[in-house]
Amino acid sequence: MDRDNLPLLRVLEVSRDFDVSRPWLNRLLEGTQRQLLRAVDGVSLAVNRGETLALVGESGCGKSTVARLIVGLHAASQGRIEFDGIDLAAPGAQALRRRMQMIFQDPYASLNPRWRVRDIVAEPIRVLKLAASEHEVAARVAELLRQVGLVAEDGEKYPHEFSGGQRQRISIARALSGNPEFLVCDEPTSALDVSVQAQILNLMTDLQRGLGLTYLFISHNLAVVSHIADRVGVMYLGRLVELANAEDLFVQPLHPYTRMLLDAIPDLEMSGKARTPVAGEVPNPLDPPAGCAFHPRCPHANARCRRERPQVIVQGDAVVACHAVEERRL
């Protein structure tokens, strides 16, 4: 099969457990066992070349952990992650990670405050030996800064001399300096003002078109996702509960949780449409509910939902894990 027709990234039944146990001596004295928190629970998805796949959900749903698993900041407890058809856990596959970069949520925390911007952006170029001389490094840094809407002279400044939106532009320039194909964007606009968010989203869209980039975009804000995503995956308590084309998901969401998230978006058109706010709290991930994890908050839950974990089913171009959808109660 032609590799160009395969997804650039595939996540296959990936799970990640974190040991959150008390210290060994405390457990011995108290007679308690180790505690494992399952942050990601059997997630499978694929990202096609040139597209933007968004992962959304409330805080603590596991979407940022998925991002860190993909770029190698965490190792998967179970499952497999493939990039360009190659298992990233295979011997010698670490070189593939050079083709992916990550943009973090807080640009001020992710930029070294003691370095000038020119050195921050140049570091991947030097480490990956992408330029033959310091003159070429400087020229490439100036080009990258202009590419993200800054000027070459900004390279002489320090991160604290910039606004939040400008710092995020610097983060994007640094991510691009390694010539990646795939960018993992972990809530890159959530710390910014609304008007600046739009500027950064427009910049990312222009860069994607111009450079042929592929994005995994992490966000809790469906209003932001609607402007940039081609497909949207919805996560709840570590599980992927719905994955669909963005246009279809915003017009006709399938999972009750997705519907609640959409109802939480402010109705600027004052349409008068009945809205159901996201009610209740996310369950304790150390003691998740039996059956469907969403059933304590779901208005459509029945005895089967409380007893049996739903499996992913295909509904047209979408996939969803919901008993109510499977039984056509929704």
Side-chain angles (χ1 to χ4, degrees), residues 78 113 120 150 218 272 302:
Q78 297 175 20
I120 292 172
L150 300 174
I218 310 295
N302 61 12

Side-chain angles (χ1 to χ4, degrees), residues 83-163:
F83 187 82
D84 206 7
I86 300 173
D87 187 349
L88 287 175
Q94 288 300 313
L96 290 172
R97 296 197 186 276
R98 295 184 176 187
R99 296 164 59 186
M100 58 177 74
Q101 290 290 335
M102 190 165 183
I103 302 171
F104 294 92
Q105 177 177 354
D106 185 353
Y108 194 65
S110 65
L111 300 176
N112 190 331
R114 298 185 178 184
W115 284 19
R116 295 183 189 272
V117 166
R118 66 170 186 242
D119 296 317
I120 292 172
V121 177
E123 184 183 22
I125 302 173
R126 294 186 177 119
V127 170
L128 299 176
K129 297 179 173 58
L130 299 177
S133 66
E134 282 301 309
H135 176 73
E136 288 186 17
V137 171
R140 176 61 175 154
V141 169
E143 178 189 2
L144 286 164
L145 290 176
R146 287 191 291 267
Q147 210 166 22
V148 298
L150 300 174
V151 295
E153 290 73 18
D154 286 331
E156 299 301 318
K157 301 177 183 178
Y158 291 92
H160 72 269
E161 299 181 68
F162 295 89
S163 67

Side-chain angles (χ1 to χ4, degrees), residues 8-23:
L8 181 62
L9 178 85
R10 295 177 69 203
V11 177
L12 304 168
E13 291 295 324
V14 165
S15 298
R16 169 67 191 194
D17 297 326
F18 290 100
D19 191 338
V20 294
S21 308
R22 289 171 61 79

Side-chain angles (χ1 to χ4, degrees), residues 44-328:
S44 295
L45 55 86
V47 186
N48 298 314
R49 298 170 195 272
E51 79 164 348
T52 299
L53 173 66
L55 280 184
V56 300
E58 294 168 288
S59 296
C61 70
K63 55 189 186 297
S64 291
T65 304
V66 170
R68 285 163 169 74
L69 288 169
I70 290 170
V71 299
L73 295 179
H74 298 315
S77 302
Q78 297 175 20
R80 188 168 77 254
I81 300 173
E82 295 180 355
F83 187 82
D84 206 7
I86 300 173
D87 187 349
L88 287 175
Q94 288 300 313
L96 290 172
R97 296 197 186 276
R98 295 184 176 187
R99 296 164 59 186
M100 58 177 74
Q101 290 290 335
M102 190 165 183
I103 302 171
F104 294 92
Q105 177 177 354
D106 185 353
Y108 194 65
S110 65
L111 300 176
N112 190 331
R114 298 185 178 184
W115 284 19
R116 295 183 189 272
V117 166
R118 66 170 186 242
D119 296 317
I120 292 172
V121 177
E123 184 183 22
I125 302 173
R126 294 186 177 119
V127 170
L128 299 176
K129 297 179 173 58
L130 299 177
S133 66
E134 282 301 309
H135 176 73
E136 288 186 17
V137 171
R140 176 61 175 154
V141 169
E143 178 189 2
L144 286 164
L145 290 176
R146 287 191 291 267
Q147 210 166 22
V148 298
L150 300 174
V151 295
E153 290 73 18
D154 286 331
E156 299 301 318
K157 301 177 183 178
Y158 291 92
H160 72 269
E161 299 181 68
F162 295 89
S163 67
Q166 289 173 323
R167 284 197 289 264
Q168 196 60 284
R169 291 174 186 268
I170 295 167
S171 295
I172 294 171
R174 181 184 60 182
L176 294 177
S177 65
N179 295 334
E181 301 171 38
F182 180 66
L183 288 182
V184 177
C185 313
D186 188 8
E187 305 221 31
T189 62
S190 64
L192 307 177
D193 293 338
V194 174
S195 60
V196 181
Q197 286 183 7
Q199 295 172 16
I200 296 299
L201 291 174
N202 290 336
L203 171 64
M204 294 180 67
T205 301
D206 292 341
L207 290 171
Q208 184 176 39
R209 291 172 181 162
L211 302 176
L213 298 171
T214 304
Y215 291 151
L216 177 67
F217 192 92
I218 310 295
S219 181
H220 65 275
N221 190 335
L222 278 168
V224 168
V225 165
S226 66
H227 291 289
I228 195 168
D230 299 303
R231 291 188 298 136
V232 180
V234 181
M235 290 190 65
Y236 186 77
L237 211 64
R239 302 173 184 174
L240 192 66
V241 297
E242 184 171 355
L243 179 62
N245 293 325
E247 184 176 346
D248 296 338
L249 183 134
F250 283 96
V251 172
Q252 190 173 5
L254 298 176
H255 199 280
Y257 179 57
T258 309
R259 297 183 181 197
M260 288 187 176
L261 290 178
L262 289 171
D263 282 343
I265 299 175
D267 185 4
L268 299 181
E269 297 179 356
M270 302 295 287
S271 63
K273 175 185 174 183
R275 303 167 69 82
T276 305
V278 180
E281 298 291 335
V282 178
N284 183 354
L286 290 172
D287 185 24
C292 175
F294 187 60
H295 86 254
R297 303 170 67 186
C298 180
H300 308 284
N302 61 12
R304 184 188 179 195
C305 300
R306 291 185 284 271
R307 181 183 66 250
E308 181 184 333
R309 176 175 172 172
Q311 300 301 311
V312 172
I313 59 173
V314 178
Q315 291 278 314
D317 293 329
V319 294
V320 62
C322 178
H323 294 311
V325 175
E326 180 185 3
E327 297 168 1
R328 301 187 184 279

